[in-house]
Amino acid sequence: MQQNAPPATRQEPKPPTQWRTASRTGSGLQLRVDYPVPGVTAITIAGVIDEATLPRLAELVRPRLTGVIGAIVLDLSAVTFISVSGLELLKRTSMDASSRGISLRLVATTHAVLRAFRIAGLDRLECHSDVADALSPPARTQF
């Protein structure tokens, strides 16, 4: 007696995680791209964001603003320094994401990054304490 096998379920292929590293003159930046849930790209950034490493970070972030995604999470929890140019990139990224209907969520926990945000007036950006919090759906306000 033959049993009917359940129909095969089609799983979407998960894009590979990519590690990118850029370094120059002693400073370094390590970047990792993940796709934790459909429609969300998470970029983990570790090290120093300065003029030497900024082009590589911009090269990784900008194309994601033109894709069909709902949110970008930038995990800055391992960033030890962020220059004025790095802050400007985040501000431009925030404006570009907003104009395209993409939610930009930042994970910022270090004193250096939070202080730089506050001084630059970027503390109004959507910041979270960890990636899990950044991935959770926003709370809806009930009237």
Side-chain angles (χ1 to χ4, degrees), residues 33-52:
V33 177
D34 293 303
Y35 306 89
V37 295
V40 176
T41 298
I43 301 173
T44 302
I45 305 161
V48 174
I49 300 174
D50 61 11
E51 284 66 27

Side-chain angles (χ1 to χ4, degrees), residues 95-115:
M95 292 186 314
D96 290 346
S98 178
S99 71
R100 291 176 169 92
I102 298 171
S103 173
L104 177 66
R105 303 170 189 172
L106 304 175
V107 176
T109 58
T110 64
H111 176 72
V113 171
L114 292 172
R115 183 171 184 269

Side-chain angles (χ1 to χ4, degrees), residues 24-105:
R24 182 187 287 171
T25 62
S27 65
L29 185 69
Q30 190 173 34
L31 305 168
R32 185 179 75 207
V33 177
D34 293 303
Y35 306 89
V37 295
V40 176
T41 298
I43 301 173
T44 302
I45 305 161
V48 174
I49 300 174
D50 61 11
E51 284 66 27
T53 60
L54 191 64
R56 181 65 192 108
L57 177 58
E59 179 184 308
L60 192 64
V61 171
R62 283 191 189 124
R64 273 123 185 117
L65 293 170
T66 61
V68 183
I69 59 171
I72 297 173
V73 175
L74 296 180
D75 181 359
L76 305 167
S77 59
V79 169
T80 56
F81 174 80
I82 185 166
S83 69
V84 171
S85 299
L87 294 168
E88 289 171 356
L89 173 69
L90 291 178
K91 183 177 181 177
R92 278 192 317 272
T93 300
S94 173
M95 292 186 314
D96 290 346
S98 178
S99 71
R100 291 176 169 92
I102 298 171
S103 173
L104 177 66
R105 303 170 189 172

Side-chain angles (χ1 to χ4, degrees), residues 1 9 12 17 30 36-37 58 66 78-79 91 115 117 126 133:
M1 176 183 335
T9 57
E12 291 291 321
T17 297
Q30 190 173 34
V37 295
T66 61
V79 169
K91 183 177 181 177
R115 183 171 184 269
F117 280 10
E126 184 178 345
D133 183 42

